[in-house]
Amino acid sequence: MNSKWNGLLAAALLELAASAGAETPAVAAGSTLQRIQATGVLRCGVVVAREDWNKVDLHGDLSSLHAEICKAVGIAALGTRAKIDIHIFNSEAEAEEGLSQSRVELVVGVTPSVSAAAKWKVAFGPPVFYDGLGVLVWPELPATHVKDLVGRKLCVIDGTDNDRVLEARANAGALKMRVSTWQEEGEMDDAMATHWCDAVGAYVTRLAPLRRQYRELVKTRILPELLTLSPVVPAYRLDDAQWGLLTDWTIHALVQAEASGVTRANVVAQKTSEDPLVQRLLGVDWVTSQALGLPDKDWAATVISAVGNYGEIYQRTVGASLGLPRGVNALWLDGGLMHALPIQ
């Protein structure tokens, strides 16, 4: 039985004990949550993208978003007294190794994979951002979709998953552009700026800052479709299901808060809401806090008061630094992929 199911079973047993009037079991001795509560500090790793790609870590810089998620989890565990010790990692593998060696309790900003889970003995939480392969084009090109780039030269870094996806689809006839591969990101960017490339294919978090780095590319545009989907998630050690649950449901609480219209500014007023989703989110009963091993039933309200809901976090981090519209990172209510599991 995997750790997620173990965690869900543990949560169910806690709820059953509470409903029967039994005493709630204490946090397991030596657990991650217990250690954090003893020190008052969450050591959280974030992945900061390098200026040049290493052909494996393809995401752009989302570190400001990562740090906010660290803060949210820390406040869920410790309340307003939380201290967040941010550790910077230059690659996802380095971050996962640091997590496996207990140098941090949490990492935010990695791409989930079964090979990483097996190698580092880590588990992955819900997406905090969806990245993916997009295409940046010159404004004069009459293209609204990637399929419109017939005969155009599309530049991409050689040897990456993006390269393989584009080559495979071009060879299969699904895309009819000419794929041109490059070894160095800087050289490819220069080629785009001098109009040698008609378009560039990369993760959208790499394309967005490219438009700001070159004066010539300010008016270029990112086509609206993604050719691949690559979620960015938190990771935690596999041996502590309860800590994984706390991380996961903190993120679900941020997303549910946005869906329910609960913001940093109105969270106190919303405590009188008659909406059952809002009531459970903001702590009308002890069920969720008991299942997560937290002493305060309004833990989510405390988190939202400090960092806001997911939409507020997105806007002041990714929205401000990259200028990316929500797109697939919009709520499911608005046609995106972000949704919360029940807070109950």
Side-chain angles (χ1 to χ4, degrees):
M1 185 176 290
N2 63 35
S3 63
K4 292 287 184 182
W5 286 110
N6 284 335
L8 292 174
L9 178 59
L13 290 174
L14 283 168
E15 182 175 348
L16 180 62
S19 64
E23 182 179 349
T24 302
V27 177
S31 71
T32 304
L33 179 58
Q34 187 181 56
R35 292 195 301 273
I36 290 171
Q37 289 175 336
T39 62
V41 178
L42 169 62
R43 298 173 301 167
C44 191
V46 301
V47 180
V48 176
R50 296 182 177 181
E51 292 184 2
D52 203 359
W53 298 340
N54 61 14
K55 300 189 180 183
V56 176
D57 298 311
L58 303 177
H59 301 291
D61 190 3
L62 294 167
S63 57
S64 59
L65 173 64
H66 303 164
E68 287 293 295
I69 299 300
C70 288
K71 182 178 179 181
V73 175
I75 291 171
L78 299 168
T80 55
R81 67 184 180 90
K83 294 181 180 179
I84 315 300
D85 183 8
I86 297 293
H87 291 239
I88 302 298
F89 294 102
N90 291 318
S91 72
E92 294 186 28
E94 181 184 323
E96 289 161 345
E97 180 180 20
L99 179 62
S100 71
Q101 295 175 348
S102 298
R103 287 188 274 140
V104 291
E105 286 86 28
L106 179 68
V107 163
V108 183
V110 298
T111 304
S113 72
V114 65
S115 56
K119 179 177 182 179
W120 303 116
K121 301 297 185 290
V122 298
F124 302 104
V128 297
F129 186 86
Y130 285 98
D131 205 352
L133 173 56
V135 176
L136 180 74
V137 302
W138 286 96
E140 61 269 22
L141 289 184
T144 56
H145 299 282
V146 178
K147 64 180 178 61
D148 298 330
L149 299 175
V150 177
R152 299 292 185 175
K153 188 179 296 181
L154 176 63
C155 295
V156 65
I157 295 295
D158 182 44
T160 63
D161 277 347
N162 292 339
D163 171 32
R164 290 187 283 270
V165 167
L166 289 169
E167 287 281 6
R169 296 190 184 183
N171 292 338
L175 301 176
K176 300 184 182 299
M177 79 285 284
R178 293 178 292 149
V179 178
S180 176
T181 57
W182 296 76
Q183 292 298 322
E184 298 292 338
E185 179 190 1
E187 292 178 356
M188 183 183 71
D189 294 347
D190 289 342
M192 181 65 180
T194 57
H195 230 310
W196 197 91
C197 305
D198 295 309
V200 166
Y203 278 8
V204 292
T205 51
R206 287 284 187 176
L207 295 177
L210 176 57
R211 293 181 297 178
R212 300 181 179 186
Q213 292 170 9
Y214 290 80
R215 177 174 49 84
E216 298 87 349
L217 299 179
V218 170
K219 294 184 179 180
T220 55
R221 54 196 171 86
I222 300 174
L223 296 181
E225 64 190 299
L226 293 178
L227 297 177
T228 63
L229 204 59
S230 180
V232 179
V233 306
Y236 33 77
R237 287 185 296 278
L238 197 57
D239 60 1
D240 193 337
Q242 184 185 41
W243 177 242
L245 286 175
L246 175 57
T247 299
D248 292 1
W249 259 263
T250 299
I251 295 167
H252 293 316
L254 296 174
V255 176
Q256 184 60 56
E258 182 183 8
S260 295
V262 179
T263 69
R264 198 174 188 175
N266 71 15
V267 62
V268 174
Q270 288 277 28
K271 289 185 177 182
T272 61
S273 172
E274 296 183 359
D275 184 334
L277 295 179
V278 175
Q279 290 178 344
R280 288 195 289 267
L281 173 68
L282 301 183
V284 297
D285 59 51
W286 288 91
V287 172
T288 303
S289 59
Q290 286 177 328
L292 297 177
L294 299 175
D296 300 319
K297 65 179 182 178
D298 59 350
W299 62 275
T302 303
V303 172
I304 297 162
S305 295
V307 301
N309 63 38
Y310 177 79
E312 291 176 294
I313 293 172
Y314 185 101
Q315 199 53 46
R316 69 173 179 267
T317 56
V318 179
S321 63
L322 297 181
L324 282 174
R326 291 288 292 270
V328 293
N329 291 292
L331 295 177
W332 67 276
L333 296 166
D334 301 320
L337 298 177
M338 299 301 295
H339 67 94
L341 296 185
I343 316 295
Q344 60 186 44

